[in-house]
Amino acid sequence: MLESFVQGAPAAQIAEGQACADSRERFYRLVRACCAKVESLARDGLYVSECLQGTLRTRPAMRGWSTSQRVIVIGFAERDGLMQISALPRNIANILPRMREKIALGAVLHLDDKLASACLQIQGDYVIVPKITRAALGMTSVEAFWRFLRLHLQKFRKVPLKFFHLYLAETCLRFNQREQNLHALLREAMQTIAIDDVRPLLFGDPVRIGPGQLGFSPLECIASHIAAS
């Protein structure tokens, strides 16, 4: 099953011997948890945002925002040539309105030379990954990573919100190690990482929508970290 994972085949689309779909999915989750340990995934780089539609006048939002009830905001940065999920600045209340005004839902916003944020829509308990059809003529490393991430995740169409951080970790490792032997790297990780180190990642964290940020307009988004209830 590891080879199927390396090739990027969704667990539901492979037939490995007598393993049932649930067993395949649990194995994939274990591999992704190992990816999270290898990549030292920063969970404080993810925010869930509830978008409330109100009546106050604000600047027009870009495509996708006006029809979305919830989104997940991802912070990431380039460090030493590698992409890492990274905590956004504490003024998240200022970043969300900028995203609504400057980028379509599903796009990426540069915050500085190294740090960026992006967003995807949430429907129910799933993160929705829309299809991407074409690449820009010139892309920064941040934009190249976000395109790589969307191309990989769109195979699943929707990703369970409580395990979304594991899919991010997998994509980071695939992007950062794309010139390496991924099969050998993952096999070594699974042989050396203790099960107790990844056990908390295997069950997923419930998502809690926080009380919001002071100063938000009803037309803008209320953000909170993904956290255990």
Side-chain angles (χ1 to χ4, degrees):
M1 283 191 287
L2 182 59
E3 184 59 34
S4 296
F5 179 89
V6 169
Q7 292 174 2
Q13 298 178 13
I14 64 172
E16 289 283 348
Q18 301 301 313
C20 65
D22 287 345
S23 295
R24 297 196 300 268
E25 190 58 53
R26 285 194 295 269
F27 176 79
Y28 270 38
R29 194 178 306 156
L30 175 62
V31 180
R32 291 186 177 110
C34 290
C35 293
K37 297 301 293 185
V38 171
E39 289 295 312
S40 301
L41 184 71
R43 294 293 302 278
D44 57 356
L46 301 178
Y47 300 78
V48 168
S49 169
E50 188 171 26
C51 299
L52 304 179
Q53 302 302 319
T55 58
L56 296 181
R57 295 181 62 187
T58 60
R59 296 179 183 177
M62 296 292 286
R63 186 181 69 251
W65 288 93
S66 61
T67 57
S68 298
Q69 296 181 343
R70 286 199 302 166
V71 297
I72 187 164
V73 180
I74 306 129
F76 51 94
E78 180 183 5
R79 296 191 177 95
D80 300 324
L82 301 178
M83 300 305 303
Q84 296 179 341
I85 304 302
S86 176
L88 292 170
R90 292 190 178 275
N91 60 339
I92 182 66
N94 296 326
I95 294 175
L96 284 167
R98 287 176 58 192
M99 296 181 73
R100 286 172 58 91
E101 295 170 11
K102 295 181 178 298
I103 62 171
L105 188 63
V108 60
L109 174 70
H110 288 269
L111 301 176
D112 57 34
D113 291 342
K114 299 294 184 181
L115 185 63
S117 63
C119 55
L120 292 169
Q121 185 178 11
I122 296 173
Q123 291 182 2
D125 295 328
Y126 293 90
V127 178
I128 305 302
V129 185
K131 288 187 177 181
I132 187 169
T133 57
R134 61 181 182 179
L137 293 178
M139 291 189 295
T140 65
S141 56
V142 164
E143 291 166 342
F145 168 72
W146 183 244
R147 174 177 168 79
F148 181 94
L149 182 145
R150 285 186 56 180
L151 284 172
H152 178 64
L153 294 186
Q154 73 182 23
K155 299 175 185 177
F156 310 97
R157 194 175 66 84
K158 59 181 184 179
V159 177
L161 176 58
K162 66 179 181 179
F163 295 122
F164 186 68
H165 58 291
L166 298 185
Y167 285 80
L168 282 181
E170 174 199 350
T171 309
C172 283
L173 186 139
R174 286 181 181 274
F175 184 83
N176 292 333
Q177 307 296 332
R178 56 193 182 278
E179 303 299 332
Q180 305 302 318
N181 184 331
L182 189 59
H183 189 284
L185 190 154
L186 289 174
R187 180 174 292 279
E188 180 181 359
M190 296 181 72
Q191 291 174 342
T192 56
I193 296 174
I195 187 64
D196 288 341
D197 290 339
V198 298
R199 195 184 304 278
L201 300 171
L202 297 177
F203 300 100
D205 286 343
V207 175
R208 180 178 69 243
I209 301 297
Q213 304 282 348
L214 295 177
F216 266 49
S217 159
L219 274 176
E220 295 168 351
C221 296
I222 300 175
S224 67
H225 286 288
I226 287 184
S229 295

